[in-house]
Amino acid sequence: MSASEQIRRAFLVFHVVLALALLWGGVHAALRLGPADRHALALGSIETVGAVAFLFPRTLRLGGTLLLLTLAGAFLVHTGRGEWQPDLLVYAAGVVLVTVHGSAYRHVPSAA
């Protein structure tokens, strides 16, 4: 396996794991906090939709945008409460990375 194929596969694993982690976070926020906090329900629901869209190449950019909006909102809410959540910044950096580079689902044949 070529080095570029190894990188493509590692990137694909990162993309899927990131999307699933954010999907779990969105569902968890909506179900756990949503009944008591409509803002948490809204953010969790948008994050869930964004994470699902982020999984598919055709809607990856839309999903990335929704995820960045919800991550920024969550970061601001937590920071306003005095809760430092650097993991949200790591998630946002990962979303930017995948959104900028696009999906790695398709194998691109090498020129060799």
Side-chain angles (χ1 to χ4, degrees), residues 71-102:
L71 289 166
F75 183 79
L76 291 173
V77 166
H78 285 288
T79 301
R81 293 179 181 171
E83 302 166 357
W84 175 239
Q85 297 259 197
D87 58 319
L88 297 173
L89 298 175
V90 174
Y91 288 136
V95 169
V96 169
L97 177 72
V98 173
T99 302
V100 166
H101 287 283

Side-chain angles (χ1 to χ4, degrees), residues 11-92:
F11 186 81
L12 179 60
V13 168
F14 175 75
H15 174 188
V16 171
V17 169
L18 177 63
L20 293 176
L22 291 167
L23 175 63
W24 180 86
V27 169
H28 183 65
L31 294 179
R32 187 177 67 113
L33 302 172
D37 183 352
R38 288 185 179 210
H39 293 101
L41 178 61
L43 275 176
S45 298
I46 294 168
E47 182 178 1
T48 300
V49 170
V52 170
F54 190 66
L55 280 167
F56 300 100
R58 295 183 122 203
T59 56
L60 184 134
R61 292 198 193 302
L62 170 65
T65 301
L66 291 174
L67 287 171
L68 288 174
L69 289 172
T70 58
L71 289 166
F75 183 79
L76 291 173
V77 166
H78 285 288
T79 301
R81 293 179 181 171
E83 302 166 357
W84 175 239
Q85 297 259 197
D87 58 319
L88 297 173
L89 298 175
V90 174
Y91 288 136

